[in-house]
Amino acid sequence: MKDRILIFIAVVVLILLPLLFSNPYYINILTQFAIFAVFALSLNFIVGYIGEISFGHAAYFGLGAYFTALISQNFGTSYWISLIIAIMLTGLIGMFVGFLTLRLQGVYFAIITLAFAEIFRLIISNLPSITRGAMGLSVPSPNIPFTNVTFGDPLMTYYFVFGLMLLVILFIKYVLETPFGKGVIAIREGHLLASSIGVNVVKYKVITFTISTMIAALSGGLYGAFIGILTPDLLSVHYTTEALLMVVVGGIGYLLGPLYGAFIFTVIPEFLWMSPEVQLLVFGIILLLAVLFMPRGIAYILEQLKHKLENVRQPKAKLESNSEEMEG
Amino acid sequence: MRKIFMILLTMMFILGACSQGSSGDNGNNGSSESNDGGGDTVKIGVVAPLTGPAALYGEQVEAGAKLAAKLINEEGGILGGKQIELVIEDDQSKPEVGLSKYKELIEVKNVDAITGGVNSSVSMATKDIAKDRILNIVTISKAPEIMADRDNYRFRLNSTNDMDGESFHKFISETLQPKTVAVIVENTDYGQAEIEALRRNWSSENDPEIVGVEFFELEDTDYTNPLTKLKSLNADALYVVGAAIEINSAVFSQAHQLGFNDTMKILSPGNINMEVVKLAGEGGEGVISADLYQNSIDNEMNKMFVEKFEQEYGYLPEKMELLGFESIWLTAKAMDQAGSANDYDKIAEILSSNNWESPRGEVVFENGQAQGEVLPLVIKNGEIVPYEQ
Amino acid sequence: MEFVGQLLVNGSVIGVTYVVFALGLTLIFGILGLINFAHGEFYMLGAYGSFVLQQQFGLGYITSAITTIIFVLLLAFIIEKYTISPLIDTDHLNSLLATFAISIIILNIIVIAYGNTPRQIETPFTGVLAIGDVYITYQRLILIVVGVVIILLLNLFIKRSKLGKLMRAVSQNRMGAMVTGIPIKRIYTATFVLGIGLATISGILIGPITYATPTMGSSAILKGFVVVILGGLGSIPGAIIGGFLLGFGETVASVILGNSWKDVVSYLILIIVLLIKPEGIFGYKRRAQ
């Protein structure tokens, strides 16, 4: 019960947060956070619930963005209808790739996903007549659905993207609670057990992978509209790295883990005036330290802290209520 | 869960503090905008790739821009004593980063004008955000489309692929007269624009025939395979399209090592400089190219520019440094004449209607595009000299 | 005919580089069971080490090469001791991510220190050998000769030396090796350092032919993956054959399909091999670990 109230408060804070800023630039950073959170959530679905590392996840992010832009520009459909079609198309590709690759595990899976991503990236970069290649494909700002407000409007865009992020979280939470989701978790905990209770391991993995690529495509479509220009770089290891950092540092396999990671890697760098190299160096060090000393991420640490707090809370209930008043 | 709440609170405070800082900025600038004499600096944003594949060019542009600001400030600044303050941002040669830097400069740092753009893809991505809002001096980017659907505030200093094509491609076709040309070209925005211009300009019967085109990626370092293939075509000339210095020099020295001895070697215009000559060594001898500036041009302003530049940095300026210099120099002069740092209609009008003195000669803008022709150059005995038959 | 000859030369140069690079990768995998995502960065360090020692300390190509190797081996030793060793027996994702983090760290240290500007490495082996209309520079020739010598020496080392035999024992049966009292952690360290040494040497050899650039390792590692998977992860003969296959395959693809599609071809080969015969064309099925 208490958790729900806190989540409610967290949501309210994130809704009110942008109102503090007079400057659209900072709201845009929050929007970027929400978009990358969706992308990281999608990767966590593979890393956290299938238990494999995909080194090519940016491919589906980039394909989502390119499909959306190309469909809306070539067929004249609205950006958001195109996005839905793009999500379907990317899902089909994801299903195909997942079907082929998910029989492999560990390094083999990591490398083959990377190879697929590089192929998609090279195809986009080598077909300039369709994709404009390295020159970049411009994406005119669409209107936010059912409104006359363009996607460039900082506040409305933030709310729209933030709302979608909440929906994605709820969707993942829902999926994990279905029998299918329980099966997926059973697979992560141990294949033998899972198959003995009648879970078709490969089929479950392929479905999970497909859903993950579709969510990645959604974040890519949003990012395309947000950033206004697509380059083949969107499919590169660079973006996979970012998402992977968010997932690992945030907490692999925790529903909200990617959110903490996304916050750390999108919002905080904006306030530290570091050159991109120094920033990447720091990220690399954080990742190494995270792997060495907190392999289960921030989410795990928070969970531990919460347990400790709860243990402390019982005898000191009075003090607790005082501090709560102060916060209020 | 409680901890999450705490974290959210803390982050709210951090962000809050930051936003206050920035709204403070807003206040200051607001006042300088209203009475125009309030602030004591004119802020000009410079967006250039200081990291990434085009970093070297970005640094050269930056050096030129800094020199211009320094000279102007030493002479007492503009608009009755205001100093020029450069706000330099790194676009990492990436369009999406360039776009966010433009946004930041306009919305957060409240600069009075933006100059920059080395990669065409960056300038393509940033032109709309600046449109009708701020003076946008495109410094290097060569793709012709950048000036399409122009507002009145967008100007470009470098020549375009098309303009180069009209003079340089014609020069090749009419003076050098190779019958067949093999092309090796980088797989980038710049390479694609250049190859399009080449095909367009050599479309008639008498023009050289393009017998082979090989693309390479920026990550490639060994060009022997595509060069071997092109060599087997026995073309009269090898036309090299690469923006980066090290790529051009590597292609020339590897071509040399593969025995391209009698083949005419041609470098796409605008990419010749001493660094290429130095790195390519023997492979660079006889390479023909063209450029809109050469530091031996004989005029008063160029002498001053070259001297001051060498004093400041210890080497001689070339085109990138010149254009970086021009971008700040012309912006400042035009603002000074307009009597305002942000009356863009007036500044644009003054830029368009005057003949500007520059180290490269006289600069005139036509629909925002600086006019001028490129002069053919050749590498001879380790030096870049004007081409003579 | 000259055309084919030239392509043969080009392919050999690429092939030897791939083999020396991939041998280290496959050795580390075979014995530690670890895919070293930072392998390319050590290759890059080989080239940068030569550059720095030449430029800042005025050393020649060969002395700078030897100094670089010693330095990088020390670095590899430290990295293995403090990051790989503590993680090697935990979930395999951890060591994978650790090497990934190390690659980001090394790459960006180099970018911060020396920028993105490509750096030229001087070599005493200038000049070009012309056989008919087939050309090969002396540095390329040196690369082929040194590369082949290293490949032969490594084979000898693995087959004959005591350490080599221990390595093979660990690779074939980790549990058994442990039971018989082989100091397994030390074997890991030795292997990691040896593997990194091979990457460094290939970087030193290729440096003067191309330039030293910070990202040269990131493109090399992808090719390294293709080679070791083609030949079979952990297999030394596999890496040798795989390296030459890819070197010539790329050369042919570049000529037939055009240079920009050559990488697509190598990734396609990788995918096909992984799907049909994940243990590689010349590999054997690895024991479950």
Side-chain angles (χ1 to χ4, degrees):
Chain A
M1 206 48 225
K2 194 142 191 156
D3 278 8
R4 289 218 173 149
I5 294 170
L6 283 169
I7 288 178
F8 177 75
I9 293 172
V11 169
V12 170
V13 168
L14 280 169
I15 288 175
L16 295 179
L17 198 55
L19 299 177
L20 287 173
F21 307 127
S22 56
N23 199 312
Y25 184 76
Y26 295 107
I27 305 173
N28 282 338
I29 293 171
L30 288 177
T31 308
Q32 196 161 346
F33 150 71
I35 294 173
F36 274 96
V38 174
F39 182 35
L41 281 164
S42 78
L43 181 60
N44 190 36
F45 222 46
I46 296 176
V47 181
Y49 297 103
I50 300 184
E52 298 289 352
I53 290 188
S54 162
F55 267 104
H57 207 54
Y60 311 99
F61 179 75
L63 283 178
Y66 268 99
F67 278 143
T68 312
L70 288 173
I71 292 168
S72 69
Q73 283 167 26
N74 290 318
F75 300 102
T77 46
S78 93
Y79 192 83
W80 306 107
I81 302 286
S82 313
L83 176 58
I84 292 170
I85 302 170
I87 291 173
M88 300 293 171
L89 279 176
T90 313
L92 277 177
I93 293 175
M95 191 169 15
F96 173 72
V97 173
F99 175 75
L100 288 178
T101 60
L102 279 162
R103 285 172 296 155
L104 301 169
Q105 292 174 1
V107 290
Y108 294 101
F109 181 77
I111 292 174
I112 200 168
T113 47
L114 179 57
F116 269 109
E118 282 293 289
I119 287 182
F120 292 137
R121 180 180 70 84
L122 287 166
I123 290 174
I124 286 183
S125 120
N126 284 337
L127 293 175
S129 54
I130 303 168
T131 62
R132 294 186 48 82
M135 193 68 174
L137 184 67
S138 299
V139 184
S141 285
N143 277 350
I144 295 171
F146 314 115
T147 65
N148 289 325
V149 184
T150 70
F151 201 74
D153 180 83
L155 200 59
M156 289 306 288
T157 306
Y158 170 70
Y159 285 139
F160 175 62
V161 174
F162 181 70
L164 282 177
M165 181 188 88
L166 288 183
L167 282 180
V168 168
I169 295 173
L170 289 177
F171 172 73
I172 293 176
K173 194 167 181 308
Y174 166 77
V175 168
L176 290 175
E177 277 164 7
T178 60
F180 165 77
K182 297 217 167 84
V184 171
I185 291 172
I187 293 173
R188 182 184 62 176
E189 303 302 332
H191 294 251
L192 287 175
L193 183 72
S195 45
S196 71
I197 57 166
V199 173
N200 182 339
V201 174
V202 173
K203 187 176 142 196
Y204 272 48
K205 281 186 174 181
V206 172
I207 295 173
T208 313
F209 190 85
T210 310
I211 295 174
S212 163
T213 56
M214 290 168 82
I215 299 173
L218 168 68
S219 61
L222 291 174
Y223 191 61
F226 174 70
I227 203 80
I229 181 108
L230 310 180
T231 56
D233 200 40
L234 281 182
L235 287 80
S236 71
V237 191
H238 174 81
Y239 282 90
T240 304
T241 308
E242 285 201 6
L244 213 50
L245 283 168
M246 293 170 189
V247 171
V248 175
V249 175
I252 295 174
Y254 287 91
L255 179 63
L256 296 181
L259 255 62
Y260 309 137
F263 190 81
I264 288 180
F265 291 110
T266 54
V267 178
I268 292 178
E270 294 291 339
F271 300 107
L272 305 172
W273 279 268
M274 296 188 290
S275 73
E277 291 93 15
V278 179
Q279 203 171 303
L280 274 170
L281 175 63
V282 172
F283 286 178
I285 294 171
I286 294 177
L287 178 62
L288 186 61
L289 294 178
V291 173
L292 281 170
F293 301 114
M294 47 169 229
R296 301 168 75 178
I298 293 173
Y300 174 74
I301 291 174
L302 289 180
E303 201 182 65
Q304 295 297 307
L305 279 172
K306 192 183 131 202
H307 284 311
K308 271 189 198 149
L309 276 178
E310 268 164 11
N311 292 339
V312 175
R313 189 174 297 169
Q314 259 67 37
K316 293 184 183 172
K318 206 165 173 217
L319 201 81
E320 191 65 27
S321 70
N322 276 344
S323 70
E324 227 157 53
E325 269 174 29
M326 281 165 68
E327 275 167 25
Chain B
M1 262 311 140
R2 185 185 173 74
K3 207 68 195 170
I4 300 178
F5 180 62
M6 297 280 278
I7 286 182
L8 283 174
L9 260 184
T10 342
M11 107 196 174
M12 209 170 82
F13 282 127
I14 298 171
L15 291 180
C18 293
S19 79
Q20 266 180 350
S22 70
S23 59
D25 276 1
N26 283 350
N28 283 342
N29 257 285
S31 65
S32 81
E33 264 161 40
S34 54
N35 59 15
D36 224 63
D40 40 0
T41 61
V42 171
K43 285 208 255 181
I44 304 179
V46 179
V47 179
L50 302 174
T51 57
L56 202 55
Y57 288 149
E59 284 159 18
Q60 292 172 338
V61 168
E62 188 193 2
K66 279 184 172 164
L67 180 68
K70 190 180 168 205
L71 294 182
I72 292 166
N73 288 339
E74 277 172 4
E75 281 172 19
I78 57 169
L79 297 169
K82 284 194 202 178
Q83 295 278 298
I84 305 264
E85 181 193 340
L86 298 186
V87 185
I88 296 167
E89 298 284 349
D90 176 15
D91 65 33
Q92 303 170 31
S93 315
K94 288 181 186 161
E96 66 273 19
V97 179
L99 188 60
S100 90
K101 294 298 180 192
Y102 262 66
K103 274 188 194 160
E104 195 180 339
L105 284 173
I106 298 173
E107 289 165 4
V108 183
K109 301 195 170 160
N110 290 295
V111 295
D112 297 303
I114 302 183
T115 74
V118 169
N119 303 80
S120 290
S121 52
V122 173
S123 295
M124 285 298 287
T126 53
K127 64 187 172 85
D128 288 332
I129 184 92
K131 198 172 180 181
D132 294 322
R133 281 172 92 175
I134 192 163
L135 185 68
N136 180 16
I137 310 282
V138 178
T139 313
I140 308 294
S141 309
K142 294 180 82 161
E145 304 97 296
I146 292 167
M147 297 306 279
D149 68 315
R150 165 180 184 256
D151 60 341
N152 283 326
Y153 308 157
R154 195 184 313 149
F155 291 84
R156 166 158 55 192
L157 302 174
N158 203 357
S159 54
T160 68
N161 300 89
D162 285 357
M163 290 165 65
D164 291 348
E166 272 169 32
S167 46
F168 187 59
H169 298 163
K170 209 166 126 194
F171 161 78
I172 295 172
S173 166
E174 288 172 2
T175 312
L176 302 175
Q177 296 178 337
K179 288 208 172 50
T180 51
V181 175
V183 185
I184 181 162
V185 48
E186 63 174 44
N187 194 4
T188 61
D189 51 350
Y190 167 68
Q192 281 161 17
E194 185 69 19
I195 195 93
E196 273 169 33
L198 202 59
R199 286 204 168 111
R200 220 176 19 247
N201 289 324
W202 288 348
S203 51
S204 90
E205 280 287 305
N206 304 325
D207 289 325
E209 187 193 348
I210 299 172
V211 287
V213 177
E214 283 296 314
F215 284 92
F216 58 85
E217 302 296 325
L218 288 183
E219 305 89 74
D220 288 353
T221 44
D222 189 346
Y223 310 96
T224 42
N225 279 330
L227 284 173
T228 303
K229 189 176 170 190
L230 292 177
K231 186 172 173 239
S232 72
L233 301 171
N234 280 319
D236 296 334
L238 175 70
Y239 191 95
V240 180
V241 183
I245 288 161
E246 68 279 4
I247 288 177
N248 290 325
S249 52
V251 170
F252 285 126
S253 55
Q254 289 180 13
H256 179 69
Q257 289 160 2
L258 282 172
F260 274 78
N261 291 331
D262 307 322
T263 314
M264 198 185 287
K265 285 179 287 191
I266 302 171
L267 178 60
S268 57
N271 300 316
I272 195 165
N273 57 35
M274 280 315 287
E275 203 64 23
V276 172
V277 177
K278 225 164 53 194
L279 283 173
E282 263 181 85
E285 277 300 298
V287 168
I288 298 163
S289 181
D291 220 331
L292 52 77
Y293 174 72
Q294 219 223 330
N295 53 35
S296 63
I297 288 178
D298 191 24
N299 69 47
E300 281 306 309
M301 182 148 182
N302 189 42
K303 277 181 197 146
M304 184 278 289
F305 171 62
V306 173
E307 189 199 315
K308 297 270 185 194
F309 193 95
E310 206 185 355
Q311 243 174 42
E312 186 81 13
Y313 300 103
Y315 69 96
L316 294 176
E318 289 179 307
K319 182 182 65 180
M320 297 292 163
E321 289 89 348
L322 165 84
L323 293 177
F325 176 86
E326 244 180 29
S327 69
I328 301 300
W329 188 263
L330 297 188
T331 305
K333 296 283 160 186
M335 283 176 171
D336 202 29
Q337 283 192 28
S340 159
N342 43 34
D343 183 352
Y344 301 126
D345 287 313
K346 204 165 173 194
I347 299 169
E349 167 60 30
I350 286 174
L351 269 175
S352 308
S353 57
N354 278 303
N355 295 0
W356 298 94
E357 200 195 339
S358 152
R360 62 165 139 160
E362 203 160 72
V363 175
V364 183
F365 291 99
E366 209 167 275
N367 288 323
Q369 172 63 51
Q371 302 299 303
E373 287 216 335
V374 291
L375 25 131
L377 303 164
V378 64
I379 300 177
K380 218 180 208 171
N381 304 323
E383 290 202 42
I384 302 173
V385 293
Y387 181 87
E388 282 160 23
Q389 224 167 357
Chain C
M1 203 51 229
E2 274 97 14
F3 181 56
V4 177
Q6 187 69 55
L7 291 182
L8 271 173
V9 169
N10 299 351
S12 317
V13 173
I14 302 174
V16 171
T17 321
Y18 286 170
V19 172
V20 178
F21 180 80
L23 275 175
L25 204 55
T26 210
L27 210 60
I28 293 174
F29 183 81
I31 290 155
L32 283 81
L34 162 79
I35 268 288
N36 178 19
F37 262 88
H39 210 65
E41 273 58 44
F42 291 100
Y43 165 83
M44 183 259 289
L45 279 184
Y48 266 88
S50 316
F51 161 73
V52 173
L53 291 169
Q54 283 184 355
Q55 292 293 309
Q56 294 181 355
F57 299 94
L59 300 185
Y61 178 60
I62 294 170
T63 39
S64 68
I66 294 167
T67 323
T68 302
I69 293 171
I70 295 171
F71 171 75
V72 178
L73 292 188
L74 267 174
L75 184 68
F77 176 77
I78 295 168
I79 288 177
E80 204 278 341
K81 195 161 157 55
Y82 292 103
T83 62
I84 309 295
S85 192
L87 294 173
I88 199 80
D89 294 323
T90 65
D91 191 329
H92 72 274
L93 293 190
N94 288 333
S95 49
L96 197 66
L97 286 170
T99 59
F100 185 55
I102 291 166
S103 84
I104 298 176
I105 293 171
I106 297 181
L107 170 66
N108 288 289
I109 288 178
I110 291 294
V111 176
I112 292 165
Y114 302 104
N116 283 283
T117 320
R119 305 296 185 164
Q120 200 175 18
I121 294 160
E122 305 290 339
T123 167
F125 310 109
T126 53
V128 184
L129 180 71
I131 308 162
D133 212 16
V134 178
Y135 297 85
I136 178 164
T137 61
Y138 290 140
Q139 178 66 30
R140 282 170 200 256
L141 211 56
I142 292 282
L143 182 145
I144 294 179
V145 173
V146 175
V148 169
V149 169
I150 284 175
I151 295 167
L152 294 176
L153 281 179
L154 186 78
N155 269 299
L156 223 70
F157 170 77
I158 296 284
K159 288 212 176 93
R160 298 284 161 78
S161 78
K162 186 161 173 254
L163 184 58
K165 282 177 184 161
L166 290 179
M167 283 178 175
R168 272 192 301 160
V170 175
S171 151
Q172 278 156 15
N173 189 340
R174 194 182 286 189
M175 285 311 284
M178 252 197 280
V179 171
T180 53
I182 294 175
I184 199 157
K185 284 270 181 185
R186 261 189 250 165
I187 302 288
Y188 284 170
T189 312
T191 310
F192 189 79
V193 171
L194 177 63
I196 296 300
L198 290 168
T200 313
I201 292 174
S202 55
I204 292 171
L205 288 171
I206 201 80
I209 294 174
T210 61
Y211 296 103
T213 62
T215 50
M216 64 191 280
S218 336
S219 16
I221 186 82
L222 290 172
K223 296 299 166 60
F225 287 156
V226 181
V227 171
V228 292
I229 297 236
L230 199 60
L233 257 176
S235 155
I236 288 174
I240 297 171
I241 298 168
F244 282 111
L245 271 183
L246 185 68
F248 289 111
E250 240 179 42
T251 304
V252 171
S254 149
V255 169
I256 294 175
L257 294 173
N259 194 49
S260 57
W261 291 97
K262 70 172 192 299
D263 290 347
V264 176
V265 173
S266 52
Y267 295 129
L268 271 179
I269 295 174
L270 173 88
I271 289 170
I272 291 166
V273 171
L274 268 179
L275 292 179
I276 296 172
K277 210 164 175 290
E279 68 273 16
I281 300 177
F282 309 97
Y284 50 94
K285 276 231 185 282
R286 291 183 58 78
R287 246 171 259 251
Q289 286 177 357

